[in-house]
Amino acid sequence: MSAALPRRLAAEFLGTALLVTAVVGSGIAAARLSPGDAGLQLLENSVATMLALGVLILIFGPVSGAHFNPVVSAASWWLHRRGADGLTAPEAGLYALAQVSGAVAGTVLANLMYALAPITRSTQVRTGAGLWLGETAATFGLILLVFALTRSGRGSLAPAAVGAYIGAAYWSTSSTSFANPAVTIGRAFTDTFAGIAPGSVPGFVLAQLVGLVAGAAAVMLFYPKPTAGATALTASP
C-alpha cells in the first residue's frame, strides 16, 4: 500500500527544500570560491545539484515518488488518470503546494547558512526567446526521461539517470535547465548566483508548461502503455 498522503506531502516538501538548498547553497559557495570565473561556478553548481538530486530521489522515492517538481506531478496524474495508479488531480495540486513551499523554505535555509538575509529579491534577469526555448527543451527531456523509465519498468535507474540528465542539461540548455516551476519560484527569493528575478519567473514557468505538454505527448507516442511490472511515479508498494 502506498504511503499515506500526509507522509507523501511531507516528503515532497522536505525533498524539494533540500534540493533547492543544494542548488542555491552551492551557487553561493561557487561564487565565493571561484570569483570571476563563471564557467567554474556553473560547474561547481551543476555537480552539487546533480549529486544532491540523485541522493534525494533515493531517500524519498519510496515514500512519495520523489517528484520535487509540479510538472512531474502533473504528468503523473495525466498519464495515469484512467488507471488506479498515479496521482489524482487533487493530490497533484497538493504535491505542487508542498513543492513550492519547500522550494521557498530551501532558499531561506541556504541564504541563512551563508549569513545572508533570509529572503532577498533576485535581480538576475533571465528572459528572452532563447532562454524560454531552453526551458521548454529541458522540461520536455525531463518528462520524457522520467516516464520512459517508469513506464518501461526501469524506475530503479531514476536516481542516476535523472541526476545525470539535469547535470548535462545545465550545460547544454541556454537557461541552465531549471525545468521545475517550484524551483523557479524558490530561486526568485535569493539575490545570488542561482537567483532569477521575479519578473522572469512567469516566462520560465510558461515554457516549462509547454515542455510538460510536449513531453507527455512524446511519452504517449513512445510508451503508450506501461509494460508488465511497471508502476506509476508515486510511492513504492
Side-chain angles (χ1 to χ4, degrees):
M1 181 178 294
S2 297
L5 182 59
R7 287 180 59 207
R8 287 187 277 144
L9 295 177
E12 287 297 302
F13 172 88
L14 183 56
T16 309
L18 293 174
L19 173 60
V20 176
T21 299
V23 173
V24 175
S26 64
I28 297 171
R32 294 183 180 182
L33 293 169
S34 309
D37 191 335
L40 185 54
Q41 291 171 11
L42 185 61
L43 176 62
E44 294 159 349
N45 187 215
S46 63
V47 170
T49 299
M50 64 185 286
L51 293 176
L53 180 56
V55 170
L56 291 169
I57 293 172
L58 285 172
I59 295 171
F60 294 108
V63 181
S64 67
H67 298 190
F68 312 145
N69 188 334
V71 297
V72 173
S73 299
S76 178
W77 163 68
W78 177 258
L79 292 170
H80 300 94
R81 67 195 184 282
R82 294 188 179 91
D85 292 333
L87 299 177
T88 65
E91 286 176 334
L94 290 172
Y95 264 49
L97 288 174
Q99 291 153 358
V100 171
S101 56
V104 174
T107 298
V108 170
L109 176 58
N111 286 337
L112 289 174
M113 285 196 301
Y114 286 92
L116 301 174
I119 292 178
T120 55
R121 179 187 177 94
S122 177
T123 57
Q124 181 83 3
V125 175
R126 302 177 189 261
T127 189
L131 295 184
W132 298 332
L133 181 59
E135 275 303 284
T136 299
T139 308
F140 167 83
L142 177 63
I143 295 298
L144 180 56
L145 169 62
V146 167
F147 292 95
L149 292 176
T150 59
R151 290 172 79 88
S152 62
R154 296 175 294 162
S156 62
L157 299 176
V162 175
Y165 173 79
I166 291 298
Y170 252 87
W171 289 90
S172 60
T173 63
S174 56
S175 63
T176 66
S177 184
F178 287 45
N180 185 328
V183 170
T184 303
I185 293 169
R187 289 169 67 166
F189 293 92
T190 182
D191 193 19
T192 60
F193 178 84
I196 177 172
S200 300
V201 169
F204 265 52
V205 172
L206 180 58
Q208 291 156 3
L209 294 177
V210 174
L212 161 64
V213 173
V219 172
M220 292 303 297
L221 173 63
F222 297 116
Y223 299 91
K225 293 182 179 180
T227 60
T231 58
L233 193 68
T234 51
S236 297

